[in-house]
Amino acid sequence: MIYRSVLFSCLLLICLISFNTRLIYADYWCVNTTYNPNSTAGRMYTDNLNFLLSTLSSNASLASRNGFYNFTAGHDPSNMVYGLFDCRGDVNPDACGRCVANARGDILKTCWNQTTAFMSYDDCLLRYSNESMFSRADQSVTFAAWNTQNATDPDKFNQVLSDMMNDIASQAANDRSGKKFAVKEADYSTFQRLYALGQCTPDLSSLDCENCLSNAISQIPTFCNNRRGCRITFFSCNIRYELYKFYNSVSPAPEPASSSSSSPPPSPPPPSNSTSSEEGGGISTQTIVAIVVPISLAIVLLVVGFCIARRPRKPYFAIIETSGKL
Ligand SMILES: *[C@@H]1O[C@H](CO)[C@@H](O)[C@H](O)[C@H]1NC(C)=O
Ligand SMILES: *[C@@H]1O[C@H](CO)[C@@H](O)[C@H](O)[C@H]1NC(C)=O
Ligand SMILES: *[C@@H]1O[C@H](CO)[C@@H](O)[C@H](O)[C@H]1NC(C)=O
Ligand SMILES: *[C@@H]1O[C@H](CO)[C@@H](O)[C@H](O)[C@H]1NC(C)=O
Ligand SMILES: *[C@@H]1O[C@H](CO)[C@@H](O)[C@H](O)[C@H]1NC(C)=O
Ligand SMILES: *[C@@H]1O[C@H](CO)[C@@H](O)[C@H](O)[C@H]1NC(C)=O
Ligand SMILES: *[C@@H]1O[C@H](CO)[C@@H](O)[C@H](O)[C@H]1NC(C)=O
Ligand SMILES: *[C@@H]1O[C@H](CO)[C@@H](O)[C@H](O)[C@H]1NC(C)=O
């Protein structure tokens, strides 16, 4: 027993260390559209921008916004600001609000005198411009980031990945929850499971969403070539896959009016005793030992696997490319 708790503490320590060193993925785009914030027009633009960002930020934690909101500030076309946020489909309103609030601070620091800016995080993206971007699939800039480690069995990996991604594209495009979001998982080998996600901003039509995701998927051979984890992000849609579960459990049906309680990290389901009692005839001590030991072993293995899977986040490498394609 003591041995086991020592082992567990060690594992916990390893896990904590790898959590501390993990990088939070963020990408931004705000080049070549500077304005002078001191000019009369610039001051009005700045005022509108601040109003836009505070409106978006205060709406991000509202469950009624469903993780997405677009807004326009100002009336004079010469200084109107258009903006939106979109939270990842599995993220609850609280986390969405925090992410957008954080993005609002970062975007003002990083792109303070830019008319157009985009910022993308694990949990959300935030975007504004002096031109309307609503309901348009914009794939003009490619953000790519990948794990520098490769999959061990490329052929199998690419087959599983490709099947998953195609499903995700059509599922997200036709997502009835209004989030244009889909996740999928599949066995890649006996010990490894592949987890993937795709999402469009929900203002896109189904057709535009599917095209956008297909376009992102077509970038996989270029940027994600056999990588164990990878992300392709456009302004209007993004895909991601990893060998660990990087999203919260999503039930097939959308959770009813998701409460503001933050969802706990996924934990292995507690072994229930209802099945065994239903089998009748009582369960012998030997069987119980035989079940309990493998379960605790499985949990230990799970924790180890979880920590190991988390660690490769460090060597993530990111790149941004413009294609000029809209
Ligand atoms: C900025 O934009 C102008 C015109 O739109 C272009 O000629 C110039 O090359 C751009 N500069 C950079 C650094 O992208
Ligand atoms: C938006 O800003 C860019 C660069 O600052 C400018 O070239 C463009 O004309 C502006 N668009 C509108 C609709 O004002
Ligand atoms: C925008 O900000 C950058 C860096 O802070 C500065 O170099 C540049 O002159 C500013 N441009 C305008 C038009 O104010
Ligand atoms: C804007 O005004 C502030 C002070 O009023 C000054 O410090 C800053 O350099 C000015 N920036 C530009 C781009 O003119
Ligand atoms: C949300 O957006 C609306 C405008 O659509 C705005 O009036 C309101 O103040 C924002 N914030 C909250 C918390 O509702
Ligand atoms: C939000 O976007 C839609 C188009 O998708 C547009 O019709 C609507 O006016 C936008 N709302 C605001 C507040 O800008
Ligand atoms: C992964 O494979 C690529 C070629 O596809 C190679 O350049 C790279 O060095 C490999 N990385 C590792 C960590 O083996
Ligand atoms: C077994 O399950 C029943 C209900 O199914 C519950 O009342 C009981 O407390 C459980 N026993 C243990 C040891 O968990």
Side-chain angles (χ1 to χ4, degrees):
M1 210 56 210
I2 290 172
Y3 164 74
R4 201 184 285 167
S5 57
V6 166
L7 184 70
F8 233 92
S9 316
C10 285
L11 290 172
L12 208 74
L13 198 73
I14 293 171
C15 212
L16 284 176
I17 289 167
S18 52
F19 264 118
N20 276 340
T21 52
R22 120 196 139 126
L23 299 179
I24 302 289
Y25 170 89
D27 249 318
Y28 66 91
W29 177 256
C30 55
V31 294
N32 211 13
T33 55
T34 60
Y35 69 98
N36 179 358
N38 286 353
S39 68
T40 318
R43 267 198 300 272
M44 287 163 85
Y45 194 80
T46 305
D47 286 349
N48 286 336
L49 177 58
N50 285 331
F51 182 59
L52 171 92
L53 291 177
S54 81
T55 304
L56 291 179
S57 178
S58 68
N59 274 274
S61 52
L62 298 183
S64 57
R65 297 297 184 205
N66 209 15
F68 172 85
Y69 191 48
N70 63 320
F71 189 71
T72 309
H75 301 290
D76 179 351
S78 70
N79 56 44
M80 273 162 81
V81 192
Y82 305 82
L84 58 83
F85 69 79
D86 190 21
C87 286
R88 209 174 63 197
D90 60 300
V91 161
N92 67 38
D94 271 354
C96 180
R98 279 196 302 276
C99 185
V100 173
N102 184 31
R104 172 194 183 183
D106 283 354
I107 213 165
L108 283 176
K109 259 184 251 149
T110 317
C111 313
W112 75 276
N113 61 0
Q114 309 282 339
T115 54
T116 302
F118 169 81
M119 203 139 245
S120 162
Y121 296 82
D122 277 350
D123 287 357
C124 70
L125 61 84
L126 177 66
R127 202 181 162 194
Y128 66 76
S129 176
N130 65 336
E131 288 171 15
S132 173
M133 75 291 265
F134 306 146
S135 304
R136 279 175 44 221
D138 187 338
Q139 301 145 56
S140 56
V141 180
T142 308
F143 304 86
W146 56 84
N147 189 314
T148 49
Q149 292 188 318
N150 294 329
T152 41
D153 180 354
D155 291 341
K156 178 86 187 296
F157 189 81
N158 289 328
Q159 188 52 53
V160 173
L161 181 62
S162 152
D163 289 349
M164 286 170 86
M165 281 299 177
N166 291 332
D167 280 356
I168 281 178
S170 62
Q171 267 178 38
N174 301 302
D175 177 16
R176 295 236 191 90
S177 77
K179 292 185 174 180
K180 296 257 188 319
F181 168 76
V183 294
K184 212 172 159 69
E185 53 182 271
D187 285 326
Y188 149 57
S189 70
T190 325
F191 302 111
Q192 287 182 309
R193 228 164 147 67
L194 193 53
Y195 300 85
L197 167 160
Q199 185 166 18
C200 299
T201 57
D203 57 331
L204 299 193
S205 69
S206 289
L207 187 63
D208 284 347
C209 174
E210 188 150 8
N211 285 338
C212 186
L213 288 172
S214 299
N215 225 315
I217 291 166
S218 72
Q219 302 297 311
I220 287 179
T222 312
F223 295 108
C224 312
N225 186 20
N226 301 337
R227 307 296 189 178
R228 298 169 70 109
C230 190
R231 312 174 188 206
I232 304 288
T233 302
F234 294 135
F235 292 139
S236 300
C237 72
N238 63 82
I239 55 170
R240 178 179 180 188
Y241 70 81
E242 307 283 354
L243 284 176
Y244 59 90
K245 193 167 182 189
F246 56 93
Y247 47 80
N248 303 310
S249 297
V250 212
S251 46
E255 42 186 321
S258 46
S259 68
S260 57
S261 70
S262 60
S263 69
S267 54
S272 87
N273 68 357
S274 58
T275 23
S276 48
S277 54
E278 270 166 24
E279 309 262 292
I283 202 162
S284 77
T285 331
Q286 253 187 344
T287 336
I288 289 173
V289 171
I291 292 168
V292 167
V293 170
I295 283 176
S296 55
L297 247 170
I299 290 172
V300 168
L301 283 176
L302 214 105
V303 172
V304 173
F306 187 68
C307 291
I308 288 169
R310 289 259 159 190
R311 298 182 81 188
R313 278 187 161 200
K314 229 177 131 193
Y316 243 108
F317 184 80
I319 182 173
I320 301 173
E321 278 205 356
T322 41
S323 66
K325 185 178 166 195
L326 214 75

